[in-house]
Amino acid sequence: MPNGCDFMSQIVSKDIFTPEDLNEEQKMLAQTVEKFMKEEVLAREQEIEEGNHEVVKDLLKKAGELGFFAIEVPQEYGGLGLDKISALVVNEMMMYNTSFAVSSEAHITIGSHPIIFFGNEAQKRKYLPDLAYAKKIAAYALTEPQAGSDALNAKTTATPLNGGEYFVLNGTKQFITNAGFADIFVVFAKVNGKDFTAFIVEREFGVKTGKEEKKMGQKGSSTRQLILEDVKVPKENILGEIGKGHKVALNTLNLGRMRLGGSAGGGGKILTKIALDYAKDRKQFGKPIISFPLIKWKIANMASKTFAIQSSSYRITNLIDQKWLGEKVDEWQAFEEFAVEATILKVGGSEFLWHIVDEAVQIHGGYGYLREYKVENAYRDERVNRIYEGTNEINRLNIPEMILRRAMRGRIDFFGWVQRAQKNLDSPDEIKKQIAEYSAKEELFALEIAKALLLTESQKVFSKFGEEIQNEQEILAAFSDILIGIFLGESAIARATKHKDKPYGRYYENMARFVVHTYWPKIVQSFEIMLLRAGLRLELAEKLYRTLPRIDVVELSREIADTTAEVL
Amino acid sequence: MKILVPIKRTHDPYSKIKLKPDGSGIDTSNIKFVINPFDEIAVEEALRKKEKHGGEVVILSIGTQEAVEQIRTALAMGADRGILVDTAGKTLDQDSIARIMVKIIGEEKPDLVIMGKQAIDDDSNQVGQLLSEYLNWPQATFASKVDIQDKKATVVREVDGGLETVEVDLPAIITTDLRLNQPRYASLPGIMKAKQKPLKVVKLDELGVDITPKVVVEKLETPPERKAGIKVKDVDELIAKLKEMKALPF
């Protein structure tokens, strides 16, 4: 059975789950959602982008009737109780309109999952059947005006009344998606000003909301303050235990990060198609601009990054399914197990999507700057992905922190991994033998060396700084950047390997190679940051630099672009 | 009431079509497939009639194994069971299709057959009419409204310059036009239920239908690309140009 962080000490399996492995039902779910998005949501896109939240609310209700939000609700509570891969494919398709997607995510992913994960029987019976079909809409209220990244430092209070029969909530929650029309809020507050606790708060208990925020993007989603002034909540609505609110908050975010990273794959695919169609159509100097090499480079970059995100998101999501369905652990525990991978996917996915949307605008030239073109709006909408579900900075710190905490608690055998890594570095031919059958094996070899070096060198760095390492945020971020590159790159290679005998095997291999080669300088630079800061020998980084054979990436990009133009 | 709905697997109307280099047909690689949109309207109409009058909706498709995908979609919309006549990739003309359907209809004995007026791939618009001839059943084609009462169907047809209302005795063949209804989405619970619904596969050979084609497609061609236009100064120049091109009758 798979465990979290396994990838740090193992060669990626040739049999990871990939988008090509979807079953018939999963493909049909995707098709229905795609059809709905194109016919119902895109038809009303103008109103959505003008900030008409009623339209989004109507569409959420319609999508709810069709069962879009029932996927993850257990069958006992009226849902479909499907696996997480099914949720991912639906999630990807929703990215045809990001305002709709983010409203959906706020409702089902972070709004309803606290109840799915931690609700008691009565709470599940009461709320889930309505949430599954969007008869009621949910929202998640953690952030406060002065407590953003420092979310557990909330000021909202819950004061017991009548010997604890009721709790009176007071405080303000900030940036609450769906606040304009949500019926049910999962609110975090401190009981007696100290015990951080989650509550299920119905709108009818008397909550107020602030004005609609005027945002840079995601204009169709409703974002307001949630204002709690003496709101009386019965004790039956405590979610989980008093004082255990962080468990609800953080585990919901583990899922949220997974989904945000996963949706980037859907967004990348849609944007690549839009940019490609434009590049085929737009003529300059007497020919379509897709025939110019610098445009080809952009298409190759977009297609390859999308490929890497999807390879990673399907890989982890399936590992979570294996863990959850195979080992019969609680769902939230499966997400917690893979929290490091989810965080990698969140940061890597959102930043790859940022590069993708930027290329999409650039391919459109001046037209990409006009509101009339979808890429303009996509460009603004994308920006927030690097901010919410934990800023990418906080998440970059979280990755090594989670790993170190697991090492200290003995959940992972970090020192054993370091020793094995040293052995690998001493006899690299052993690695070469093991990966002989892989696609893009030279690139995989370089990533394996980087992986081993990250373990041996970071151990030196961590022991040098001790507790002080938390003040060396740049080192921690560099550590994360290396790991992100390794994970996205090896996932792409594994997917290419799995399908190497298919007609598209070479195309996949090309994209996997392109991703590794274009990310590689960042890996090398991140090693330099770590090693120089810690006063360690730089030769290792220089040696690493030469591990990846230098190839003609231009040839690669042209071929990827030509194939993309044919198949997409 | 038992309603049979024949559906065809066709390319997605929104996808761009490329021809095979030799012109023998459409290049189907990298193309999305859907239920022929007119047939999807037929599925919707059948489901509405079932909801009103009770009974059963049976989906029939004639094609390769891949058409199972479209049958499942119709089942996910709410149809009760499906039949695939597996042609194993043999090319069939419209007449053969109609005669295969006659066989299946002989076994199923539906009260009504509703199908699209034509498929968007070859636009031939023949099978419904042929079927009516072979079965000796009345036909009401290009339906934009269908009412069923007392073993009769009242059908409003869209004809040039207006609407025509016809009444046919059941069993009958109805073919659907675009404005008959707006098909529903296959809901997600519907999709999950669809895999439990019965789907029978019949091999074409077992039906004993002579499939010697009466019509053979020789070649497909894309229309010539439109040439760029020219700009003229005024009406006089326009008329002169049109005369030059012999585009005026005088």
Side-chain angles (χ1 to χ4, degrees):
Chain A
M1 268 297 158
N3 288 311
C5 297
D6 275 354
F7 80 98
M8 289 181 67
S9 72
Q10 293 174 9
I11 292 169
V12 61
S13 159
K14 273 183 276 192
D15 195 26
I16 63 166
F17 189 89
T18 70
E20 293 71 24
D21 303 321
L22 293 176
N23 66 30
E24 203 187 326
E25 284 80 37
Q26 287 160 338
K27 283 183 202 156
M28 277 173 76
L29 298 177
Q31 272 172 16
T32 290
V33 178
E34 184 174 25
K35 192 165 182 240
F36 178 84
M37 292 305 297
K38 285 182 170 170
E39 291 173 7
E40 304 287 325
V41 181
L42 293 188
R44 306 189 71 179
E45 197 163 38
Q46 200 180 340
E47 292 165 90
I48 294 173
E49 294 313 323
E50 281 164 5
N52 188 339
H53 308 122
E54 282 302 305
V55 174
V56 172
K57 184 182 161 187
D58 285 353
L59 290 168
L60 285 177
K61 298 268 176 196
K62 257 192 185 170
E65 282 168 25
L66 291 172
F68 288 14
F69 308 123
I71 292 181
E72 293 176 273
V73 175
Q75 288 180 357
E76 318 72 299
Y77 310 108
L80 297 172
L82 299 178
D83 59 4
K84 299 296 157 191
I85 288 285
S86 299
L88 173 64
V89 296
V90 166
N91 192 216
E92 284 189 328
M93 284 301 175
M94 285 185 181
M95 290 296 280
Y96 273 100
N97 180 278
T98 32
S99 286
F100 178 80
V102 76
S103 307
S104 298
E105 290 307 307
H107 165 57
I108 195 67
T109 302
I110 56 174
S112 303
H113 268 81
I115 302 175
I116 297 175
F117 283 173
F118 300 106
N120 59 33
E121 184 61 22
Q123 290 165 342
K124 288 180 179 173
R125 291 228 170 275
K126 182 167 181 195
Y127 293 109
L128 292 183
D130 285 347
L131 293 173
Y133 296 93
K135 286 179 192 145
K136 294 227 164 87
I137 292 174
Y140 176 85
L142 172 63
T143 300
E144 296 186 3
Q146 79 302 329
S149 293
D150 189 12
L152 301 185
N153 185 28
K155 295 276 181 288
T156 300
T157 56
T159 311
L161 194 72
N162 294 352
E165 277 299 302
Y166 285 91
F167 289 81
V168 180
L169 268 59
N170 277 293
T172 303
K173 294 289 174 180
Q174 184 78 353
F175 305 135
I176 307 310
T177 306
N178 290 350
F181 47 74
D183 308 285
I184 289 161
F185 297 85
V186 173
V187 176
F188 296 87
K190 284 184 172 165
V191 172
N192 292 323
K194 58 180 184 21
D195 295 322
F196 194 66
T197 306
F199 292 88
I200 304 170
V201 179
E202 296 180 24
R203 180 177 283 270
E204 292 182 357
F205 293 170
V207 305
K208 290 179 195 151
T209 57
K211 284 200 310 267
E212 275 298 333
E213 303 288 359
K214 291 192 165 55
K215 306 190 293 287
M216 176 192 283
Q218 308 273 17
K219 288 180 186 287
S221 70
S222 168
T223 309
R224 298 180 186 214
Q225 282 190 335
L226 174 70
I227 299 163
L228 303 149
E229 287 172 356
D230 292 330
V231 176
K232 241 171 90 179
V233 180
K235 71 165 197 265
E236 290 73 32
N237 282 31
I238 294 172
L239 188 54
E241 292 169 44
I242 290 181
K244 294 279 171 66
H246 58 283
K247 188 173 160 190
V248 180
L250 300 180
N251 284 300
T252 304
L253 289 179
N254 285 336
L255 167 71
R257 286 172 188 151
M258 271 287 306
R259 283 298 143 72
L260 194 148
S263 67
K269 196 150 194 189
I270 293 161
L271 286 164
T272 308
K273 172 84 177 138
I274 290 173
L276 179 69
D277 286 347
Y278 184 85
K280 281 179 180 171
D281 208 44
R282 170 76 176 169
K283 287 195 178 87
Q284 289 290 281
F285 307 105
K287 46 186 181 179
I289 61 171
I290 182 69
S291 57
F292 297 108
L294 280 182
I295 301 294
K296 287 191 187 191
W297 180 282
K298 293 182 191 304
I299 296 291
N301 194 22
M302 296 171 83
S304 305
K305 287 201 156 100
T306 302
F307 181 77
I309 303 171
Q310 287 192 307
S311 307
S312 307
S313 64
Y314 281 76
R315 175 185 178 193
I316 316 172
T317 303
N318 171 259
L319 291 180
I320 289 170
D321 276 335
Q322 286 184 37
K323 189 92 195 163
W324 165 51
L325 301 168
E327 283 184 18
K328 307 280 174 217
V329 299
D330 278 348
E331 233 179 303
W332 68 267
Q333 286 174 316
F335 280 100
E336 195 278 335
E337 182 66 36
F338 292 97
V340 170
E341 286 85 345
T343 310
I344 287 174
L345 185 65
K346 193 275 175 178
V347 179
S350 63
E351 294 189 3
F352 272 16
L353 185 61
W354 156 33
H355 304 149
I356 291 167
V357 76
D358 192 78
E359 298 281 38
V361 170
Q362 195 68 14
I363 287 171
H364 280 68
Y367 295 100
Y369 205 66
L370 302 183
R371 292 250 155 141
E372 222 180 304
Y373 286 79
K374 191 172 169 79
V375 290
E376 185 270 345
N377 146 20
Y379 185 80
R380 284 180 288 103
D381 282 6
E382 182 284 320
R383 187 61 186 85
V384 75
N385 289 326
R386 287 176 276 149
I387 298 173
Y388 57 25
E389 308 297 303
T391 64
N392 283 13
E393 290 70 31
I394 287 292
N395 276 314
R396 279 191 162 88
L397 302 178
N398 279 344
I399 291 169
E401 199 201 303
M402 284 189 280
I403 293 168
L404 285 175
R405 206 182 317 130
R406 287 176 187 209
M408 277 187 298
R409 291 184 185 164
R411 268 180 76 179
I412 56 173
D413 179 21
F414 193 77
F415 296 103
W417 292 358
V418 171
Q419 282 170 356
R420 211 179 317 155
Q422 192 55 57
K423 231 187 264 167
N424 282 340
L425 290 172
D426 294 340
S427 49
D429 287 346
E430 268 308 302
I431 304 178
K432 281 190 179 155
K433 236 188 270 168
Q434 289 181 53
I435 62 173
E437 304 294 313
Y438 280 74
S439 296
K441 56 178 180 245
E442 291 180 331
E443 286 76 11
L444 184 59
F445 176 72
L447 290 179
E448 280 300 321
I449 294 296
K451 204 189 262 185
L453 273 180
L454 182 64
L455 286 166
T456 59
E457 299 314 291
S458 68
Q459 191 221 355
K460 291 176 202 157
V461 174
F462 292 148
S463 55
K464 181 180 164 78
F465 284 99
E467 286 286 302
E468 277 303 299
I469 191 70
Q470 50 183 312
N471 296 325
E472 297 294 327
Q473 295 194 334
E474 302 90 334
I475 289 183
L476 297 173
F479 177 96
S480 293
D481 282 332
I482 296 167
L483 214 51
I484 290 165
I486 290 171
F487 192 82
L488 288 162
E490 69 171 30
S491 300
I493 292 173
R495 179 173 169 199
T497 303
K498 185 167 191 180
H499 302 290
K500 74 189 227 190
D501 297 326
K502 308 260 171 64
Y504 44 81
R506 183 184 163 93
Y507 175 49
Y508 279 15
E509 182 177 29
N510 285 341
M511 289 195 287
R513 296 180 73 196
F514 188 82
V515 165
V516 176
H517 282 278
T518 47
Y519 197 95
W520 191 247
K522 189 162 188 176
I523 290 183
V524 174
Q525 189 196 21
S526 301
F527 267 109
E528 286 176 3
I529 289 172
M530 275 177 59
L531 298 176
L532 283 173
R533 178 75 189 160
L536 294 170
R537 284 168 41 219
L538 200 57
E539 289 84 62
L540 283 170
E542 279 160 1
K543 208 171 135 195
L544 179 70
Y545 176 77
R546 290 190 301 272
T547 310
L548 184 69
R550 309 324 287 165
I551 59 155
D552 180 5
V553 189
V554 167
E555 206 44 52
L556 208 53
S557 83
R558 290 184 182 189
E559 194 179 322
I560 293 168
D562 290 343
T563 318
T564 306
E566 236 174 79
V567 300
L568 200 63
Chain B
M1 189 168 62
K2 186 174 183 177
I3 306 173
L4 184 88
V5 187
I7 63 171
K8 184 174 182 182
R9 172 181 166 93
T10 59
H11 63 268
D12 179 353
Y14 300 106
S15 59
K16 274 186 195 150
I17 299 301
K18 270 194 304 196
L19 295 181
K20 288 183 192 159
D22 64 358
S24 64
I26 294 165
D27 178 2
T28 55
S29 54
N30 305 315
I31 285 187
K32 246 183 70 187
F33 284 89
V34 295
I35 300 176
N36 170 40
F38 289 108
D39 294 340
E40 201 185 3
I41 292 170
V43 174
E44 175 64 35
E45 197 61 22
L47 293 174
R48 290 185 191 185
K49 294 299 171 259
K50 180 195 151 181
E51 280 155 13
K52 200 166 165 193
H53 304 285
E56 187 188 22
V57 175
V58 182
I59 304 296
L60 165 67
S61 192
I62 300 169
T64 58
Q65 274 291 337
E66 289 164 314
V68 165
E69 199 184 314
Q70 279 62 47
I71 298 177
R72 288 270 182 229
T73 304
L75 297 179
M77 288 169 73
D80 299 288
R81 61 189 170 88
I83 302 167
L84 171 71
V85 176
D86 186 353
T87 58
K90 289 196 184 79
T91 313
L92 301 169
D93 68 356
Q94 291 74 22
D95 185 66
S96 304
I97 295 283
R99 284 181 294 107
I100 293 166
M101 282 183 192
V102 169
K103 278 270 176 184
I104 300 291
I105 289 166
E107 283 164 26
E108 289 288 333
K109 302 186 175 47
D111 303 291
L112 179 64
V113 174
I114 310 183
M115 62 200 294
K117 67 171 183 179
Q118 66 198 61
I120 59 156
D121 49 6
D122 55 22
D123 276 341
S124 76
N125 189 343
Q126 294 198 31
V127 177
Q129 293 87 331
L130 286 166
L131 204 52
S132 155
E133 172 66 24
Y134 289 142
L135 290 166
N136 200 21
W137 286 8
Q139 59 174 313
T141 53
F142 309 163
S144 65
K145 193 165 183 287
V146 176
D147 275 316
I148 291 176
Q149 225 150 29
D150 308 328
K151 299 235 161 212
K152 282 183 199 310
T154 310
V155 175
V156 179
R157 309 178 63 229
E158 292 188 1
V159 294
D160 283 347
L163 299 173
E164 180 187 46
T165 304
V166 297
E167 194 184 88
V168 289
D169 289 330
L170 298 186
I173 310 289
I174 295 175
T175 72
T176 60
D177 214 328
L178 206 57
R179 278 165 289 272
L180 177 58
N181 60 46
Q182 177 71 39
R184 70 193 66 188
Y185 292 93
S187 75
L188 273 52
I191 291 170
M192 300 320 292
K193 275 184 214 138
K195 72 174 166 186
Q196 321 289 354
K197 292 180 179 176
L199 199 163
K200 186 169 86 176
V201 180
V202 182
K203 292 227 161 60
L204 177 57
D205 313 340
E206 292 166 8
L207 293 174
V209 178
D210 175 16
I211 53 163
T212 319
K214 295 192 171 104
V215 178
V216 176
V217 176
E218 292 276 329
K219 197 174 167 216
L220 292 172
E221 281 176 64
T222 46
E225 250 188 77
R226 246 183 93 180
K227 291 195 191 98
I230 52 165
K231 277 190 180 162
V232 291
K233 255 198 336 280
D234 48 30
V235 175
D236 291 342
E237 195 188 331
L238 175 67
I239 289 172
K241 282 280 175 204
L242 289 173
K243 277 187 177 159
E244 199 182 299
M245 293 162 66
K246 300 192 190 330
L248 293 178
F250 46 87

